[in-house]
Amino acid sequence: MSSFYLTTPLYYVNAQPHLGHAYSTIVADTMVRFQRQRGHDARFLTGTDEHGQKIQRAAEAAGVSPQEFTDRVASSFRAEWDRLGLQYDFFIRTTEPRHTAAVLDIFERLRQNGAIYKGSYSGPYCVSDELYVGEGQPGDPCPICGRPTELVSEENYYFKLSEYGPKVREHILAHPDFIRPETRRNEVLAFIESGLRDVSISRTSIQWGIPVPGDEKHVLYVWFDALIGYLSGIGYGSKAAVDQQNWQKLWPGWHLVGKEIVRFHCVYWPAFLMAAGLPLPRGIIAHGWLLFDQEKMSKSLGNVLRPEPIRKLLGADVLRYFLLREVSFGQDGNFSHAALVDRYNSDLANGLGNLASRTLAMIERYRGGLVPATAGAGIPEDFTKHFEDWQFSRGLEVVWGLIGAMDRYIAAEKPWDLAKLPDPAPLDQVLGTAFASLRTIAVLLSSAMPETAAKLWTQLGFSGSPAIEFSKLETGAIPAGHRIGKPEALFPRLDKEKTVEELRHLEQTPATPAPAPDPHISIDDFAKVDLRVGTVVTAERIKGADKLLKLTVDIGTEIRQILAGIALAYDPATLPGRKVVVVANLAPRKLRGLDSNGMIVAASVGEAGTPVLVSVPDDTPNGARLK
Ligand code: MSP
């Protein structure tokens, strides 16, 4: 059995999961389920991209630490995919230690292979896309998102993209399927041919990232870090034999990406891998954007819709069907509530639902629920070809073609008249054919609409799952005496206006009602903060960190190392012997590679937030608690 390993991008956690994210995850889930039916050992990785300035700023805006913020949003992504029944096999968060281990391993390989050097950059930078914009002035629009760039000046580690770019080009030329669709392939080739500069893979302006070993004031560039998630998530970087075997079995895999991140996946990523001496991906498949009101659905445009209202009211499969059918894969596609309900009524209620219920009702009425013996209907080749080719809309058209053909067949054969004939054969033929088609339809739909396929399967009287391998179905005749299950409407017709209204209403209702803001905290809340009196023992500057001082502080029970952002306001020589107030139970953290175990309390004064140390009388004993 050959393996098929597919990834979605790792989603930025500055936004809650929305329909645009759901689109790519649904596509991946469908493809993986389909590949299983093709007989492959298919696996699916997704995850979250949690480092970088964008996330750091989002956490600041939310008033929580980056770790707390990313924990919260990453779990809402997982919860969303779980509710939608998306069966990822691996979920990687770029803040996990196993990921850091993999990133450092690859960084080291690149360093050893001479693919990294130190250089400096001064110029425009897009925070949103975490991108250095080679040309132009700060303030110019970012070439990807159009937002104004900012000025950054940094000394950085550079990756020799200029050296690897031509090799990536050769690979693309030698592998026509490496980038799909063709338009994206041409775009990438043109980009490489325009001449590639080396890329910076570290930042000093950001703290929220993986520090460069031995040079901790640098953190690794978020894209360098995140792409490696495709490997760390399947075991790369782990010493355990089972992990090693796992990634070696699955890699190289396929990447599904949105069109705006093709460059990172088709140029940078293969170049990093080449330089690290690792195999390149099998291929990169780019999809278009899901639009709402003809604009890309995105947090920054404020036009995002959540998957949850649709799932809650109509079920996950209705959303899956709509997205896979309506969007012509590779192109942009528009979402609207009205179009969703129209498709539901025409294709699901009148189409599939109606064929299933009338066929089963006739088998019940004319044959007491027993299916006449019939040859199995095979898998239409076009369907397989289209799904294999990521053309889900076309593949589903094949299924709906079959549904339409069966409807016409039943209308032409008039089983209600055949039932009056003394010879049972003509009616058996019609009922058997319609039943066998429904069985095939359930099997075909089990990747795109797994819940519906399973329900239909049960109604057809089968046990187990319809997600069976295609090769096993083709020979499967249905023997006499097979009894159908209990028919139930799969898709009751909807009142369009009412449903659209209800969906819009649900969209306005927040997922979890936000608690009414209360400006007060309880005494118990305050008691959680362990404030202690201490005396500074030593104080020194930290090389390369203008604002930080490294202090040791006697807090009565022990001497703590604490890093404090007070270097611009206090000369370290004046601090030893000084009384301070310490937050003693703050979770330890690393800053610039150094441990900080607590926080010194200071008033923040003026626009610049100049720190002023809080003091207590000199005879207050160390360790005394403030309460
Ligand atoms: N974090 C990077 C990816 C790093 S992969 C090593 C990122 N994250 S993202 O959250 O902004 O986007 C993740 C994926 O979601 C992208 O493929 C993007 O195209 C897709 N989508 C985000 N909004 C979308 C739509 N409105 N429509 C379709 N896909 C969308 O990029």
Side-chain angles (χ1 to χ4, degrees), residues 203-240:
R203 301 284 184 267
T204 51
S205 53
I206 305 171
Q207 278 87 49
W208 184 237
I210 300 177
V212 171
D215 199 355
E216 274 82 8
K217 73 176 193 292
H218 292 262
V219 300
L220 289 166
Y221 175 40
V222 61
W223 270 101
F224 179 77
D225 160 356
L227 287 160
I228 295 168
Y230 298 144
L231 290 176
S232 63
I234 54 172
Y236 182 92
S238 157
K239 299 214 164 32

mmCIF file of all heavy atoms in Angstrom, residues 203-240:
data_model
loop_
_atom_site.group_PDB
_atom_site.id
_atom_site.type_symbol
_atom_site.label_atom_id
_atom_site.label_comp_id
_atom_site.label_asym_id
_atom_site.label_seq_id
_atom_site.Cartn_x
_atom_site.Cartn_y
_atom_site.Cartn_z
ATOM 1 N N ARG A 203 15.023 37.340 12.715
ATOM 2 C CA ARG A 203 14.591 38.695 13.062
ATOM 3 C C ARG A 203 15.131 39.050 14.436
ATOM 4 O O ARG A 203 15.154 38.196 15.321
ATOM 5 C CB ARG A 203 13.049 38.753 13.152
ATOM 6 C CG ARG A 203 12.318 38.368 11.885
ATOM 7 C CD ARG A 203 12.398 39.486 10.869
ATOM 8 N NE ARG A 203 11.617 39.163 9.673
ATOM 9 C CZ ARG A 203 12.103 38.573 8.586
ATOM 10 N NH1 ARG A 203 13.368 38.228 8.545
ATOM 11 N NH2 ARG A 203 11.331 38.348 7.546
ATOM 12 N N THR A 204 15.499 40.319 14.601
ATOM 13 C CA THR A 204 15.861 40.746 15.961
ATOM 14 C C THR A 204 14.784 41.661 16.530
ATOM 15 O O THR A 204 14.776 41.957 17.710
ATOM 16 C CB THR A 204 17.204 41.509 15.984
ATOM 17 O OG1 THR A 204 17.141 42.524 14.995
ATOM 18 C CG2 THR A 204 18.368 40.595 15.734
ATOM 19 N N SER A 205 13.869 42.092 15.672
ATOM 20 C CA SER A 205 12.837 43.034 16.122
ATOM 21 C C SER A 205 11.692 42.314 16.828
ATOM 22 O O SER A 205 10.760 42.937 17.297
ATOM 23 C CB SER A 205 12.294 43.791 14.914
ATOM 24 O OG SER A 205 11.892 42.860 13.932
ATOM 25 N N ILE A 206 11.735 41.002 16.860
ATOM 26 C CA ILE A 206 10.630 40.215 17.404
ATOM 27 C C ILE A 206 11.158 39.314 18.516
ATOM 28 O O ILE A 206 12.284 38.816 18.422
ATOM 29 C CB ILE A 206 10.037 39.319 16.284
ATOM 30 C CG1 ILE A 206 9.640 40.173 15.088
ATOM 31 C CG2 ILE A 206 8.860 38.500 16.759
ATOM 32 C CD1 ILE A 206 9.268 39.347 13.883
ATOM 33 N N GLN A 207 10.357 39.123 19.551
ATOM 34 C CA GLN A 207 10.788 38.185 20.596
ATOM 35 C C GLN A 207 10.067 36.842 20.466
ATOM 36 O O GLN A 207 10.565 35.811 20.861
ATOM 37 C CB GLN A 207 10.471 38.727 21.996
ATOM 38 C CG GLN A 207 11.495 39.702 22.519
ATOM 39 C CD GLN A 207 11.175 41.110 22.071
ATOM 40 O OE1 GLN A 207 10.052 41.560 22.202
ATOM 41 N NE2 GLN A 207 12.163 41.793 21.498
ATOM 42 N N TRP A 208 8.857 36.895 19.905
ATOM 43 C CA TRP A 208 7.991 35.717 19.923
ATOM 44 C C TRP A 208 8.346 34.776 18.773
ATOM 45 O O TRP A 208 7.785 34.862 17.684
ATOM 46 C CB TRP A 208 6.524 36.157 19.869
ATOM 47 C CG TRP A 208 5.544 35.029 19.981
ATOM 48 C CD1 TRP A 208 4.577 34.718 19.073
ATOM 49 C CD2 TRP A 208 5.424 34.077 21.035
ATOM 50 N NE1 TRP A 208 3.868 33.639 19.487
ATOM 51 C CE2 TRP A 208 4.372 33.215 20.693
ATOM 52 C CE3 TRP A 208 6.114 33.852 22.229
ATOM 53 C CZ2 TRP A 208 3.972 32.158 21.507
ATOM 54 C CZ3 TRP A 208 5.713 32.793 23.035
ATOM 55 C CH2 TRP A 208 4.661 31.970 22.671
ATOM 56 N N GLY A 209 9.321 33.920 19.059
ATOM 57 C CA GLY A 209 9.755 32.998 18.015
ATOM 58 C C GLY A 209 10.791 32.046 18.589
ATOM 59 O O GLY A 209 11.066 32.060 19.789
ATOM 60 N N ILE A 210 11.370 31.240 17.707
ATOM 61 C CA ILE A 210 12.384 30.271 18.145
ATOM 62 C C ILE A 210 13.750 30.949 18.069
ATOM 63 O O ILE A 210 14.173 31.362 16.979
ATOM 64 C CB ILE A 210 12.348 29.018 17.245
ATOM 65 C CG1 ILE A 210 10.960 28.359 17.339
ATOM 66 C CG2 ILE A 210 13.455 28.049 17.625
ATOM 67 C CD1 ILE A 210 10.788 27.147 16.439
ATOM 68 N N PRO A 211 14.445 31.107 19.225
ATOM 69 C CA PRO A 211 15.733 31.793 19.197
ATOM 70 C C PRO A 211 16.771 31.011 18.383
ATOM 71 O O PRO A 211 16.761 29.783 18.378
ATOM 72 C CB PRO A 211 16.150 31.862 20.664
ATOM 73 C CG PRO A 211 14.929 31.541 21.454
ATOM 74 C CD PRO A 211 14.060 30.692 20.576
ATOM 75 N N VAL A 212 17.659 31.759 17.712
ATOM 76 C CA VAL A 212 18.752 31.123 16.975
ATOM 77 C C VAL A 212 19.756 30.600 18.003
ATOM 78 O O VAL A 212 20.194 31.354 18.870
ATOM 79 C CB VAL A 212 19.437 32.147 16.043
ATOM 80 C CG1 VAL A 212 20.712 31.573 15.443
ATOM 81 C CG2 VAL A 212 18.471 32.582 14.950
ATOM 82 N N PRO A 213 20.110 29.325 17.922
ATOM 83 C CA PRO A 213 21.011 28.771 18.932
ATOM 84 C C PRO A 213 22.345 29.522 18.937
ATOM 85 O O PRO A 213 22.932 29.737 17.867
ATOM 86 C CB PRO A 213 21.219 27.316 18.486
ATOM 87 C CG PRO A 213 20.213 27.068 17.421
ATOM 88 C CD PRO A 213 19.719 28.364 16.902
ATOM 89 N N GLY A 214 22.753 29.935 20.114
ATOM 90 C CA GLY A 214 24.036 30.618 20.254
ATOM 91 C C GLY A 214 23.973 32.097 19.925
ATOM 92 O O GLY A 214 24.969 32.801 20.032
ATOM 93 N N ASP A 215 22.834 32.583 19.474
ATOM 94 C CA ASP A 215 22.705 34.008 19.125
ATOM 95 C C ASP A 215 21.256 34.399 19.394
ATOM 96 O O ASP A 215 20.495 34.746 18.491
ATOM 97 C CB ASP A 215 23.071 34.193 17.641
ATOM 98 C CG ASP A 215 23.409 35.639 17.324
ATOM 99 O OD1 ASP A 215 23.260 36.487 18.234
ATOM 100 O OD2 ASP A 215 23.814 35.919 16.182
ATOM 101 N N GLU A 216 20.915 34.333 20.693
ATOM 102 C CA GLU A 216 19.492 34.354 21.068
ATOM 103 C C GLU A 216 18.757 35.656 20.818
ATOM 104 O O GLU A 216 17.535 35.698 20.931
ATOM 105 C CB GLU A 216 19.314 33.920 22.531
ATOM 106 C CG GLU A 216 19.212 32.410 22.724
ATOM 107 C CD GLU A 216 20.570 31.738 22.742
ATOM 108 O OE1 GLU A 216 21.586 32.486 22.760
ATOM 109 O OE2 GLU A 216 20.646 30.495 22.715
ATOM 110 N N LYS A 217 19.493 36.726 20.474
ATOM 111 C CA LYS A 217 18.710 37.927 20.205
ATOM 112 C C LYS A 217 17.984 37.810 18.853
ATOM 113 O O LYS A 217 17.089 38.587 18.552
ATOM 114 C CB LYS A 217 19.554 39.176 20.313
ATOM 115 C CG LYS A 217 20.549 39.428 19.202
ATOM 116 C CD LYS A 217 21.189 40.787 19.481
ATOM 117 C CE LYS A 217 21.982 41.343 18.332
ATOM 118 N NZ LYS A 217 23.189 40.608 18.025
ATOM 119 N N HIS A 218 18.369 36.824 18.070
ATOM 120 C CA HIS A 218 17.656 36.546 16.811
ATOM 121 C C HIS A 218 16.600 35.483 17.046
ATOM 122 O O HIS A 218 16.885 34.480 17.687
ATOM 123 C CB HIS A 218 18.607 35.981 15.757
ATOM 124 C CG HIS A 218 19.615 36.962 15.288
ATOM 125 N ND1 HIS A 218 19.463 37.685 14.138
ATOM 126 C CD2 HIS A 218 20.785 37.350 15.832
ATOM 127 C CE1 HIS A 218 20.511 38.471 13.985
ATOM 128 N NE2 HIS A 218 21.327 38.288 14.994
ATOM 129 N N VAL A 219 15.409 35.707 16.502
ATOM 130 C CA VAL A 219 14.481 34.573 16.448
ATOM 131 C C VAL A 219 14.290 34.221 14.983
ATOM 132 O O VAL A 219 14.452 35.058 14.093
ATOM 133 C CB VAL A 219 13.106 34.855 17.114
ATOM 134 C CG1 VAL A 219 13.262 35.203 18.572
ATOM 135 C CG2 VAL A 219 12.311 35.894 16.358
ATOM 136 N N LEU A 220 13.937 32.969 14.731
ATOM 137 C CA LEU A 220 13.836 32.532 13.333
ATOM 138 C C LEU A 220 12.585 33.106 12.675
ATOM 139 O O LEU A 220 11.534 33.256 13.310
ATOM 140 C CB LEU A 220 13.856 31.008 13.266
ATOM 141 C CG LEU A 220 15.245 30.463 13.590
ATOM 142 C CD1 LEU A 220 15.206 28.974 13.852
ATOM 143 C CD2 LEU A 220 16.218 30.793 12.452
ATOM 144 N N TYR A 221 12.731 33.430 11.429
ATOM 145 C CA TYR A 221 11.652 33.995 10.609
ATOM 146 C C TYR A 221 10.475 33.032 10.635
ATOM 147 O O TYR A 221 10.651 31.814 10.489
ATOM 148 C CB TYR A 221 12.198 34.181 9.209
ATOM 149 C CG TYR A 221 11.230 34.632 8.157
ATOM 150 C CD1 TYR A 221 10.258 35.597 8.424
ATOM 151 C CD2 TYR A 221 11.315 34.117 6.859
ATOM 152 C CE1 TYR A 221 9.397 36.019 7.431
ATOM 153 C CE2 TYR A 221 10.466 34.539 5.860
ATOM 154 C CZ TYR A 221 9.501 35.485 6.154
ATOM 155 O OH TYR A 221 8.653 35.901 5.173
ATOM 156 N N VAL A 222 9.279 33.592 10.778
ATOM 157 C CA VAL A 222 8.102 32.756 10.985
ATOM 158 C C VAL A 222 7.855 31.768 9.830
ATOM 159 O O VAL A 222 7.450 30.626 10.053
ATOM 160 C CB VAL A 222 6.860 33.626 11.293
ATOM 161 C CG1 VAL A 222 6.537 34.554 10.167
ATOM 162 C CG2 VAL A 222 5.662 32.789 11.630
ATOM 163 N N TRP A 223 8.171 32.162 8.613
ATOM 164 C CA TRP A 223 7.947 31.219 7.502
ATOM 165 C C TRP A 223 8.965 30.079 7.510
ATOM 166 O O TRP A 223 8.633 28.938 7.194
ATOM 167 C CB TRP A 223 7.971 31.950 6.150
ATOM 168 C CG TRP A 223 6.610 32.431 5.778
ATOM 169 C CD1 TRP A 223 6.119 33.698 5.907
ATOM 170 C CD2 TRP A 223 5.532 31.637 5.244
ATOM 171 N NE1 TRP A 223 4.815 33.742 5.491
ATOM 172 C CE2 TRP A 223 4.433 32.505 5.080
ATOM 173 C CE3 TRP A 223 5.383 30.293 4.905
ATOM 174 C CZ2 TRP A 223 3.208 32.070 4.576
ATOM 175 C CZ3 TRP A 223 4.168 29.858 4.406
ATOM 176 C CH2 TRP A 223 3.098 30.744 4.250
ATOM 177 N N PHE A 224 10.204 30.401 7.892
ATOM 178 C CA PHE A 224 11.217 29.343 7.994
ATOM 179 C C PHE A 224 10.751 28.332 9.051
ATOM 180 O O PHE A 224 10.763 27.124 8.839
ATOM 181 C CB PHE A 224 12.565 29.951 8.390
ATOM 182 C CG PHE A 224 13.650 28.925 8.540
ATOM 183 C CD1 PHE A 224 14.259 28.380 7.424
ATOM 184 C CD2 PHE A 224 14.038 28.475 9.800
ATOM 185 C CE1 PHE A 224 15.245 27.406 7.557
ATOM 186 C CE2 PHE A 224 15.016 27.505 9.946
ATOM 187 C CZ PHE A 224 15.625 26.973 8.818
ATOM 188 N N ASP A 225 10.312 28.885 10.151
ATOM 189 C CA ASP A 225 9.832 28.076 11.274
ATOM 190 C C ASP A 225 8.604 27.240 10.856
ATOM 191 O O ASP A 225 8.579 26.011 10.977
ATOM 192 C CB ASP A 225 9.555 29.108 12.386
ATOM 193 C CG ASP A 225 8.630 28.689 13.505
ATOM 194 O OD1 ASP A 225 8.076 27.598 13.453
ATOM 195 O OD2 ASP A 225 8.466 29.501 14.429
ATOM 196 N N ALA A 226 7.595 27.910 10.281
ATOM 197 C CA ALA A 226 6.299 27.241 10.078
ATOM 198 C C ALA A 226 6.344 26.132 9.026
ATOM 199 O O ALA A 226 5.724 25.081 9.209
ATOM 200 C CB ALA A 226 5.246 28.267 9.694
ATOM 201 N N LEU A 227 7.074 26.357 7.929
ATOM 202 C CA LEU A 227 7.084 25.338 6.868
ATOM 203 C C LEU A 227 7.597 23.993 7.400
ATOM 204 O O LEU A 227 7.153 22.921 6.973
ATOM 205 C CB LEU A 227 7.943 25.815 5.700
ATOM 206 C CG LEU A 227 7.316 26.930 4.854
ATOM 207 C CD1 LEU A 227 8.372 27.683 4.054
ATOM 208 C CD2 LEU A 227 6.254 26.357 3.908
ATOM 209 N N ILE A 228 8.504 24.087 8.372
ATOM 210 C CA ILE A 228 9.086 22.863 8.923
ATOM 211 C C ILE A 228 8.035 22.059 9.706
ATOM 212 O O ILE A 228 8.208 20.871 9.960
ATOM 213 C CB ILE A 228 10.346 23.225 9.749
ATOM 214 C CG1 ILE A 228 11.387 23.809 8.785
ATOM 215 C CG2 ILE A 228 10.912 22.033 10.508
ATOM 216 C CD1 ILE A 228 12.557 24.475 9.432
ATOM 217 N N GLY A 229 6.906 22.705 10.012
ATOM 218 C CA GLY A 229 5.799 22.000 10.673
ATOM 219 C C GLY A 229 5.327 20.786 9.876
ATOM 220 O O GLY A 229 4.835 19.807 10.451
ATOM 221 N N TYR A 230 5.496 20.832 8.552
ATOM 222 C CA TYR A 230 5.072 19.689 7.731
ATOM 223 C C TYR A 230 5.901 18.449 8.046
ATOM 224 O O TYR A 230 5.486 17.330 7.760
ATOM 225 C CB TYR A 230 5.214 20.025 6.246
ATOM 226 C CG TYR A 230 4.352 21.187 5.792
ATOM 227 C CD1 TYR A 230 4.813 22.082 4.827
ATOM 228 C CD2 TYR A 230 3.074 21.381 6.310
ATOM 229 C CE1 TYR A 230 4.021 23.143 4.396
ATOM 230 C CE2 TYR A 230 2.284 22.435 5.886
ATOM 231 C CZ TYR A 230 2.768 23.313 4.935
ATOM 232 O OH TYR A 230 1.992 24.356 4.513
ATOM 233 N N LEU A 231 7.107 18.687 8.591
ATOM 234 C CA LEU A 231 7.975 17.563 8.969
ATOM 235 C C LEU A 231 7.894 17.254 10.457
ATOM 236 O O LEU A 231 7.807 16.100 10.855
ATOM 237 C CB LEU A 231 9.432 17.897 8.607
ATOM 238 C CG LEU A 231 9.778 17.930 7.127
ATOM 239 C CD1 LEU A 231 11.215 18.366 6.929
ATOM 240 C CD2 LEU A 231 9.569 16.555 6.508
ATOM 241 N N SER A 232 7.910 18.324 11.278
ATOM 242 C CA SER A 232 7.910 18.083 12.730
ATOM 243 C C SER A 232 6.624 17.383 13.147
ATOM 244 O O SER A 232 6.626 16.566 14.060
ATOM 245 C CB SER A 232 8.070 19.391 13.496
ATOM 246 O OG SER A 232 6.971 20.242 13.252
ATOM 247 N N GLY A 233 5.533 17.684 12.455
ATOM 248 C CA GLY A 233 4.239 17.108 12.807
ATOM 249 C C GLY A 233 4.144 15.613 12.563
ATOM 250 O O GLY A 233 3.256 14.944 13.089
ATOM 251 N N ILE A 234 5.066 15.077 11.759
ATOM 252 C CA ILE A 234 5.020 13.628 11.503
ATOM 253 C C ILE A 234 6.232 12.915 12.104
ATOM 254 O O ILE A 234 6.498 11.761 11.799
ATOM 255 C CB ILE A 234 4.880 13.298 9.996
ATOM 256 C CG1 ILE A 234 5.967 13.979 9.165
ATOM 257 C CG2 ILE A 234 3.492 13.674 9.494
ATOM 258 C CD1 ILE A 234 5.999 13.544 7.701
ATOM 259 N N GLY A 235 6.964 13.630 12.947
ATOM 260 C CA GLY A 235 8.017 12.935 13.699
ATOM 261 C C GLY A 235 9.435 13.362 13.411
ATOM 262 O O GLY A 235 10.355 12.952 14.117
ATOM 263 N N TYR A 236 9.647 14.213 12.397
ATOM 264 C CA TYR A 236 11.019 14.655 12.109
ATOM 265 C C TYR A 236 11.551 15.433 13.312
ATOM 266 O O TYR A 236 10.830 16.245 13.893
ATOM 267 C CB TYR A 236 11.042 15.570 10.872
ATOM 268 C CG TYR A 236 12.436 16.013 10.496
ATOM 269 C CD1 TYR A 236 13.182 15.295 9.580
ATOM 270 C CD2 TYR A 236 13.013 17.131 11.097
ATOM 271 C CE1 TYR A 236 14.475 15.683 9.261
ATOM 272 C CE2 TYR A 236 14.300 17.527 10.785
ATOM 273 C CZ TYR A 236 15.027 16.798 9.859
ATOM 274 O OH TYR A 236 16.296 17.188 9.553
ATOM 275 N N GLY A 237 12.801 15.199 13.662
ATOM 276 C CA GLY A 237 13.392 15.947 14.771
ATOM 277 C C GLY A 237 13.312 15.200 16.078
ATOM 278 O O GLY A 237 13.939 15.591 17.051
ATOM 279 N N SER A 238 12.536 14.122 16.091
ATOM 280 C CA SER A 238 12.440 13.330 17.321
ATOM 281 C C SER A 238 13.477 12.210 17.264
ATOM 282 O O SER A 238 13.810 11.714 16.187
ATOM 283 C CB SER A 238 11.031 12.739 17.431
ATOM 284 O OG SER A 238 11.049 11.607 18.258
ATOM 285 N N LYS A 239 13.956 11.832 18.442
ATOM 286 C CA LYS A 239 14.962 10.761 18.470
ATOM 287 C C LYS A 239 14.298 9.384 18.523
ATOM 288 O O LYS A 239 14.935 8.373 18.257
ATOM 289 C CB LYS A 239 15.883 10.940 19.675
ATOM 290 C CG LYS A 239 16.635 12.259 19.610
ATOM 291 C CD LYS A 239 18.022 12.162 20.203
ATOM 292 C CE LYS A 239 18.921 13.315 19.822
ATOM 293 N NZ LYS A 239 18.310 14.624 19.623
ATOM 294 N N ALA A 240 13.006 9.361 18.864
ATOM 295 C CA ALA A 240 12.323 8.072 19.013
ATOM 296 C C ALA A 240 12.245 7.345 17.667
ATOM 297 O O ALA A 240 11.899 7.952 16.646
ATOM 298 C CB ALA A 240 10.924 8.292 19.573
#
